[in-house]
Amino acid sequence: QSALTQPASVSGSPGQSITISCTGTNSDVGGYNYVSWYQQHPGRAPKLMIYDVSNRPSGVSNRFSGSKFGNTASLTISGLQAEDEADYYCSSYASSSTSVVFGGGTKLTVL
Amino acid sequence: QLQLQESGPGLVKPSETLSLTCTAPGGSISSSSYYWAWIRQPPGKGLEWIGNIYYSGSTYYNPSLKSRVTISVDTSKNQFSLKLTSVTAADTAVYYCARRGVRGWDFDLWGRGTLVTVSS
């Protein structure tokens, strides 16, 4: 069982927006602004899409945005494109063990 | 451009020690701006952080693996390494090395990963 909870799957049509949630506790997601999001295509390494809750690394499309409310962080992808179909993982700093915890991953299907 | 490259045996027998190395061609492991990490992913499953090391040798480990894990760094060879002892089939995974900035807890650069299978 993963430390952070994500929905197993989400789907959307091209052009639509989707949101993936990531729920933790006061000791991780809720306590610190160290939530990150990763995109992983099959057979590839994860790619950082969002860091520190809502910041985008250089080169990441502004269609990707992050937010947090309480113990739940969210990744929103607007203007869905076929290339967005992938697995998405959230992660957070966890103070209880000075470690990093990941969510179980969410499979995004673009219909 | 900095890259990370994992290397090591793809097959390890149960109860033995898994050993992997990550090299950083095009960059320096000795940078004071980064930690260096190992992360694994069992086939068809999610990501699991194993631990981080700083160029000075200071480490953080996943509590669930701490008793079996050692991460070390060799700045003269510009590489860092992972050792996982007493492996079982549950340790079968793709093992990634990655980079983490000292001011955050995100991994902005990843190796391509290497599959390690634990089997007799």
Side-chain angles (χ1 to χ4, degrees), chain A residues 2 38 54:
Chain A
S2 302
Y38 301 88
S54 60

PDB file of all heavy atoms in Angstrom, chain A residues 2 38 54:
ATOM      1  N   SER A   2       0.602   2.174  -0.934  1.00  0.00           N
ATOM      2  CA  SER A   2       1.405   3.371  -1.058  1.00  0.00           C
ATOM      3  C   SER A   2       1.082   4.342   0.068  1.00  0.00           C
ATOM      4  O   SER A   2      -0.023   4.358   0.600  1.00  0.00           O
ATOM      5  CB  SER A   2       1.161   4.024  -2.409  1.00  0.00           C
ATOM      6  OG  SER A   2       1.463   3.144  -3.468  1.00  0.00           O
ATOM      7  N   TYR A  38       5.107  13.460 -11.426  1.00  0.00           N
ATOM      8  CA  TYR A  38       5.920  12.853 -12.472  1.00  0.00           C
ATOM      9  C   TYR A  38       5.022  12.211 -13.509  1.00  0.00           C
ATOM     10  O   TYR A  38       3.998  11.616 -13.172  1.00  0.00           O
ATOM     11  CB  TYR A  38       6.862  11.807 -11.879  1.00  0.00           C
ATOM     12  CG  TYR A  38       7.793  12.378 -10.829  1.00  0.00           C
ATOM     13  CD1 TYR A  38       7.407  12.445  -9.502  1.00  0.00           C
ATOM     14  CD2 TYR A  38       9.039  12.868 -11.192  1.00  0.00           C
ATOM     15  CE1 TYR A  38       8.236  13.008  -8.546  1.00  0.00           C
ATOM     16  CE2 TYR A  38       9.874  13.426 -10.240  1.00  0.00           C
ATOM     17  CZ  TYR A  38       9.457  13.501  -8.922  1.00  0.00           C
ATOM     18  OH  TYR A  38      10.287  14.059  -7.976  1.00  0.00           O
ATOM     19  N   SER A  54       3.406  23.611  -7.100  1.00  0.00           N
ATOM     20  CA  SER A  54       2.800  24.293  -8.251  1.00  0.00           C
ATOM     21  C   SER A  54       3.805  24.858  -9.250  1.00  0.00           C
ATOM     22  O   SER A  54       3.405  25.612 -10.147  1.00  0.00           O
ATOM     23  CB  SER A  54       1.913  25.435  -7.743  1.00  0.00           C
ATOM     24  OG  SER A  54       2.675  26.365  -6.995  1.00  0.00           O
TER      25      SER A  54
END
